[in-house]
Structures are given as structure tokens and as C-alpha cells.
């Protein structure tokens, strides 16, 4: 059963913006932490941002600070990405966990990913 489904990826020029969404199925909606990760070609998957269940606490990778914003409502995770750069090109994944962690190994569920491509 698919628990998470990402959408909103696409191709934009450098300096543009995208808003990613991740629909969360009802049976896992109560998990405390939501995350966005990304994986560029030939690279390890890396954490982008995280948020707790109530949305009061957020945390970001250094490359995301000041440009990306994670948020959530009752059934969806979001990632607003502004001032995009070619280095942001990657497949973006949402994930959820009962734990506060930025480790890919500790995620309980993953989405299948959405491609983001930034051109110069």
C-alpha cells in the first residue's frame, strides 16, 4: 500500500520556484515527523527539511535555509522552494517517521519521488 504520494515537481529556470506536495494516507497520518529528502544523480540521498506533527518545529539542511520552507496540514506535507539553483536538481522524496531523525535508514515510509530539474 502506498502511504505517501509526491507531486509538484517539474522543470524551471534558475531563480524560479516550485511547491511540492506529499499526500499522506489515513493509516499513517498520526506519525509525528515529516521529512523531505532529495537524491541527485550519482549522489546519496540527503535530508532537506523536517517538521513535527503540529508544525511548531522545523529544521533544515544548510543548503535549504533561507530558500526552502516545509509546512503541513492534516493530510499533506509541503515544500516551498524559492530561488532554485541548478544544484537543486534531484528527485525529491517525502518521508515520515515516529522519530526525530534525518537518517534515511530510520524513515518508516517513503514516497516514490518527484523530479525537480533546474536549468541555468
Amino acid at each position: 500500500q502506498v502511504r505517501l504520494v509526491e507531486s509538484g515537481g517539474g522543470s524551471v529556470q534558475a531563480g524560479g520556484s516550485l511547491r511540492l506536495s506529499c499526500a499522506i494516507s489515513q493509516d499513517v497520518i498520526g506519525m509525528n515527523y515529516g521529512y523531505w529528502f532529495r537524491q541527485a544523480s550519482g549522489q546519496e540521498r540527503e535530508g532537506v527539511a523536517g517538521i513535527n506533527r503540529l508544525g511548531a518545529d522545523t529544521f533544515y539542511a544548510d543548503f535549504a535555509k533561507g530558500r526552502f520552507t516545509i509546512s503541513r496540514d492534516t493530510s499533506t506535507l509541503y515544500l516551498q522552494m524559492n530561488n532554485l539553483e541548478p544544484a537543486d536538481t534531484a528527485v525529491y522524496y517525502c518521508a515520515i517517521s515516529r522519530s526525530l531523525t534525518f537518517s534515511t535508514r530510520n524513515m518508516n515510509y517513503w514516497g516514490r519521488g518527484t523530479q525537480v530539474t533546474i536549468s541555468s
Side-chain angles (χ1 to χ4, degrees):
Q1 180 181 340
V2 176
R3 267 78 174 186
L4 307 173
V5 179
E6 302 95 335
S7 62
S11 299
V12 298
Q13 292 186 325
S17 298
L18 286 171
R19 182 175 175 84
L20 307 183
S21 299
C22 173
I24 306 171
S25 65
Q26 192 274 334
D27 61 329
V28 297
I29 195 67
M31 287 198 174
N32 286 342
Y33 299 97
Y35 302 88
W36 288 95
F37 289 77
R38 71 184 188 184
Q39 187 167 18
S41 179
Q43 303 296 318
E44 295 289 322
R45 192 169 299 185
E46 62 180 345
V48 176
I51 190 168
N52 74 345
R53 185 176 64 84
L54 297 178
D57 298 319
T58 59
F59 39 97
Y60 298 90
D62 286 343
F63 64 79
K65 292 177 180 176
R67 296 192 300 128
F68 296 0
T69 303
I70 188 170
S71 60
R72 68 185 300 165
D73 59 24
T74 56
S75 61
T76 310
L77 292 169
Y78 302 96
L79 184 68
Q80 177 67 45
M81 303 187 292
N82 298 327
N83 299 316
L84 286 161
E85 305 167 354
D88 296 317
T89 295
V91 177
Y92 283 71
Y93 301 87
C94 62
I96 55 174
S97 175
R98 294 183 176 91
S99 302
L100 175 60
T101 177
F102 236 174
S103 172
T104 60
R105 185 174 180 84
N106 293 331
M107 298 296 108
N108 295 108
Y109 297 99
W110 289 94
R112 56 191 171 185
T114 185
Q115 178 70 50
V116 171
T117 302
I118 313 302
S119 60
S120 299

